[in-house]
Structure formats: C-alpha cells, structure tokens
C-alpha cells in the first residue's frame, strides 16, 4: 500500500486523503490547514510541497513524498526558491493588504527549480478583510503551476468566499501513543533527549505527554528542562490544591496556596486552566473508572482522589474556577479574583 507523508505522525485519515490527491494528480490549487499552534501545520505544509514536487510521485515503491529525490531534499532543508513563505510583518497582529499585493506581484513568474510554485501563507486567519479580498482575486484564477497552503488556527476567521475555494483540513492532536512514538523515534525528539527522559525519569516523561495536550510543538518545547519545570510546578500545585479541597483543609492553607499561584494575569490564567484539566479528569472518574485521562498519569491515585469528592462538588469547584478565569479575561483585579475564588472554594 502506498505510504503518504511518512514525516507526519498521527492524522492518518487526513494524510491518506491529501496524499491520494497528489498521487493521482487531482489535487486542488489551494488548501487550508487548520489546527492549534504546535499541531504540525508548518511541517505538513512542507511535506505537501515536497509531495507536489516529488520526482518519485508516481512510483509504487516509494512513499509520497519520497524524501530522497533532488526536489524533496531541497524543500526539506529550506533551499528551494519555489517554496515561498508569506507572513505578517514582525510585531504586527494582522497581515495587511500590502503583504498580499506583494505576493501577487510575482505570482505569474514561472518556477525556477520545480514544476510548481508553492506559497505557504502563515497565520492566514490574521489577514485583514482587504487582504483576504486581494488574495481571493488570485485564488479564483491562479496560474496552473501555483499551489497555495493557508495555515490557520481558526479557518472560521477567513471569509466564506476564501473558504469556498480551498478544502479545509483540520489537524487533530496526537494521542499519547503517537506522541511517545514521535518523540522517541524522530530525529528532533531524539536530539531533544526524549528517549533518555523516558528511560531515566519515566514519570516526568508521562507528565510531559499530558502537558503537551497532543501538540508536537509544545512537546518538543517541553523537552527543555528549563521550560518544562514551570509547567511541572503548575501540575504539582493543581494536585496539591485538589488534595487540600478533598481533605477540607483549613482556609489558611488554601489561602496560602492560592496566593502562591502568582499575581501575573496570564500566568494565573494558565494555572487555572491546568486546574480545570485536573478537575475534568476527576469529574469523569467520579462517574466511570474507565474515563480517558488528560491530566493524571497515575489512574489508581486519580481514582482514589476522585472518590473523595461528590460529582456535584467537583462541578461546583469547576464552575468557580471557570468564573475566575472569565473574570481575569474581563480584566478584573487579580487579587480580588483570587479572594472571591478562595471564598467559593471554601464553601463548596
């Protein structure tokens, strides 16, 4: 059976569908690749560019892309002038119409090295309405040798007229098995020390899988011990808070722990998000022992902790945390938000 996109882990149905289109020569002139930051949109875009240009595309014995032909190798190392990355200016929140106009100026120029010219448009969801309308003129009647790959965290932010001219493929987070396989077998994972971490500190490796939430980019970042340490502390603090709540600890202990979470708005919001993830696991475990876990790595300990709460109480605690997050997002005073959260948690 023909293998498609061997450099991509997970997302098998997506890989088969896109790969088959390039293998059969029936691919679209544009695709929208949607997914959260770190889900592998850039890597997939690069692999699609390789597939479009692969000299062994029709071979039944090579994967697609083959990764060994001249075209594949040039694209893989970023040394191909026919693969053009378009991004919003550094420091800008949006991509203006001027950026798209600059793209259009050279679009009719034929490829230099390949039979195709690929435009990878990063953060396509940040294009202004004027920029999208300018791009639309090209999407409607592009040169035959041009392929557009629009990378977006939210395809819904694109105009319907843009979405109607490009199939949307949503990248899914990797499950734990796929993530572990990727980290321990890929060159980037091995270089980052994933096999050694799994071998020497398996519990920390399991925590990394949990904290990455299926994001390859985040997992690779967390292989750095300095970047992993704060998140490990967040996880430890969330577990400690839940154990204090399970034991109906005194208000002073709860107050000190809440205050230790920090007063920086973004950091506190991230810590509350981690706490909500733990509460999600416990709520599901309070209903079924077979619940899939996203936060806890030790099912037995998590089940024991869940048994210390009623489902109703877990839902009340979750709602209090959610309200605190909403207040922070609405620019509420951080200390006042923590005080209100403490009061709600203490009365649940």
């Amino acid at each position: 059976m023909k293998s498609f996109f061997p450099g991509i882990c997970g997302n098998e149905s997506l890989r088969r569908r896109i790969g088959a289109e390039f293998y059969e020569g029936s691919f679209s002139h544009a695709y929208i690749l949607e997914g959260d930051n770190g889900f592998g949109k850039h890597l997939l875009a690069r692999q699609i560019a390789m597939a479009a240009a692969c000299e062994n595309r029709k071979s039944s014995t090579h994967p697609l892309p083959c990764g060994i032909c001249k075209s594949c190798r040039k694209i893989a190392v970023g040394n191909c002038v026919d693969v053009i990355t378009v991004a919003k200016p550094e420091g800008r929140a949006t991509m203006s119409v001027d950026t798209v106009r600059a793209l259009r100026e050279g679009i009719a120029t034929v490829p230099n090295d390949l039979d195709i010219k690929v435009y990878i448009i990063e953060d396509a969801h940040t294009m202004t309405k004027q920029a999208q309308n300018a791009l639309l003129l090209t999407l409607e009647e592009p040169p035959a040798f041009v392929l557009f790959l629009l990378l977006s965290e939210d395809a819904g932010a694109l105009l319907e007229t843009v979405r109607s001219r490009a199939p949307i493929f949503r990248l899914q987070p990797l499950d734990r098995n796929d993530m572990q396989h990727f980290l321990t077998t890929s060159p980037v994972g091995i270089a980052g020390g994933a096999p050694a971490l799994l071998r020497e500190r398996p519990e920390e490796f399991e925590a990394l899988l949990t904290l990455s939430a299926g994001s390859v980019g985040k997992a690779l970042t967390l292989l750095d011990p300095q970047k992993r340490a704060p998140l490990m502390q967040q996880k430890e603090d969330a577990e400690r808070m839940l154990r204090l709540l399970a034991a109906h600890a005194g208000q002073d202990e709860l107050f000190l722990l809440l205050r230790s979470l920090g007063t920086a708005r973004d950091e506190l919001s991230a810590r509350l998000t981690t706490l909500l993830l733990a509460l999600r696991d416990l709520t599901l475990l309070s209903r079924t022992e077979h619940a899939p876990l996203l936060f806890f790595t030790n099912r037995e300990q998590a089940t024991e902790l869940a048994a210390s709460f009623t489902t109703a109480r877990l839902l009340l605690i979750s709602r209090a945390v959610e309200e605190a997050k909403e207040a922070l997002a609405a620019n509420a005073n951080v200390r006042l938000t923590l005080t209100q959260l403490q009061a709600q948690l203490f009365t649940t």
Side-chain angles (χ1 to χ4, degrees):
M1 178 182 288
K2 185 76 170 178
S3 172
F4 299 117
F5 304 112
I8 303 293
C9 190
N11 288 284
E12 291 185 11
S13 61
L14 180 151
R15 289 158 53 196
R16 285 196 300 270
R17 182 177 168 186
I18 301 180
E21 291 183 6
F22 281 88
Y23 181 53
E24 296 164 4
S26 59
F27 56 90
S28 173
H29 68 277
Y31 292 92
I32 297 171
L33 305 181
E34 182 186 33
D36 293 345
N37 188 29
F39 274 23
K41 299 186 297 295
H42 291 84
L43 178 59
L44 178 58
R46 189 69 55 178
Q47 287 267 309
I48 290 175
M50 291 166 63
C54 183
E55 297 162 26
N56 293 309
R57 185 169 65 246
K58 293 298 182 181
S59 169
S60 59
T61 58
H62 290 86
L64 182 65
C66 72
I68 58 175
C69 70
K70 181 180 178 181
S71 297
C72 280
R73 285 186 283 111
K74 289 192 75 169
I75 296 172
V77 298
N79 190 29
C80 182
V81 295
D82 294 324
V83 178
I84 302 123
T85 299
V86 180
K88 63 179 184 288
E90 187 175 353
R92 297 287 184 87
T94 60
M95 186 183 299
S96 72
V97 66
D98 292 337
T99 300
V100 175
R101 285 172 178 162
L103 176 159
R104 293 180 58 199
E105 286 178 2
I107 200 163
T109 305
V110 298
N112 286 283
D113 296 336
L114 312 175
D115 295 328
I116 193 167
K117 190 157 58 169
V118 182
Y119 287 89
I120 299 175
I121 303 179
E122 298 184 336
D123 300 315
H125 57 282
T126 68
M127 285 190 291
T128 64
K129 184 177 180 179
Q130 293 82 0
Q132 292 187 53
N133 281 322
L135 180 63
L136 183 61
L137 297 174
T138 302
L139 287 178
E140 288 175 335
E141 295 183 12
F145 50 77
V146 167
L147 170 64
F148 286 103
L149 300 174
L150 283 70
L151 314 188
S152 175
E153 292 181 23
D154 179 15
L158 298 172
L159 296 175
E160 184 178 354
T161 47
V162 173
R163 299 197 305 269
S164 68
R165 285 162 175 78
I168 300 174
F169 289 94
R170 171 77 184 176
L171 280 82
Q172 300 298 322
L174 297 189
D175 63 29
R176 295 177 75 88
N177 290 335
D178 282 342
M179 183 67 79
Q180 178 168 330
H181 177 76
F182 175 81
L183 291 176
T184 55
T185 62
S186 68
V188 287
I190 293 171
L197 182 64
L198 174 60
R199 183 175 60 254
E200 298 167 9
R201 296 189 295 281
E203 290 188 4
E204 195 163 333
F205 184 87
E206 286 296 318
L208 180 152
L209 295 181
T210 297
L211 294 168
S212 68
S215 166
V216 169
K218 190 171 184 179
L220 292 173
T221 298
L222 292 177
L223 286 174
D224 182 339
Q226 292 185 339
K227 295 179 179 177
R228 186 168 66 248
L231 291 181
M232 294 296 295
Q233 187 62 52
Q234 285 184 24
K235 187 173 186 299
E236 182 180 326
D237 289 343
E239 288 191 44
R240 183 181 167 210
M241 180 173 293
L242 289 169
R243 295 192 183 283
L244 287 175
L245 290 169
H248 295 276
Q251 193 166 2
D252 289 344
E253 266 189 286
L254 188 58
F255 173 80
L256 289 173
L257 181 55
L258 281 171
R259 291 299 179 187
S260 73
L261 299 184
T263 56
R265 188 178 304 276
D266 290 344
E267 180 186 359
L268 181 56
S269 181
R271 285 174 172 267
L272 294 180
T273 298
T274 301
L275 181 57
L276 282 171
L277 195 62
L279 284 163
R280 173 261 179 209
D281 279 5
L282 296 184
T283 303
L284 290 179
L285 283 172
S286 71
R287 296 173 175 174
T288 171
E289 61 182 14
H290 302 297
L293 303 183
L294 298 178
F295 176 88
F296 291 95
T297 57
N298 187 313
R299 179 174 291 272
E300 183 177 347
Q301 290 180 2
T303 301
E304 181 182 346
L305 182 57
S308 303
F309 296 89
T310 64
T311 302
R313 187 178 178 219
L314 286 168
L315 292 173
L316 286 172
I317 294 171
S318 297
R319 183 56 196 155
V321 176
E322 287 171 355
E323 288 176 353
K325 274 199 68 182
E326 291 167 2
L328 291 173
N331 210 33
N333 179 274
V334 174
R335 290 190 179 277
L336 179 59
T337 299
L338 281 174
T339 300
Q340 292 174 335
L341 176 59
Q342 177 196 356
Q344 288 179 289
L345 292 179
F346 194 67
T347 56
T348 58

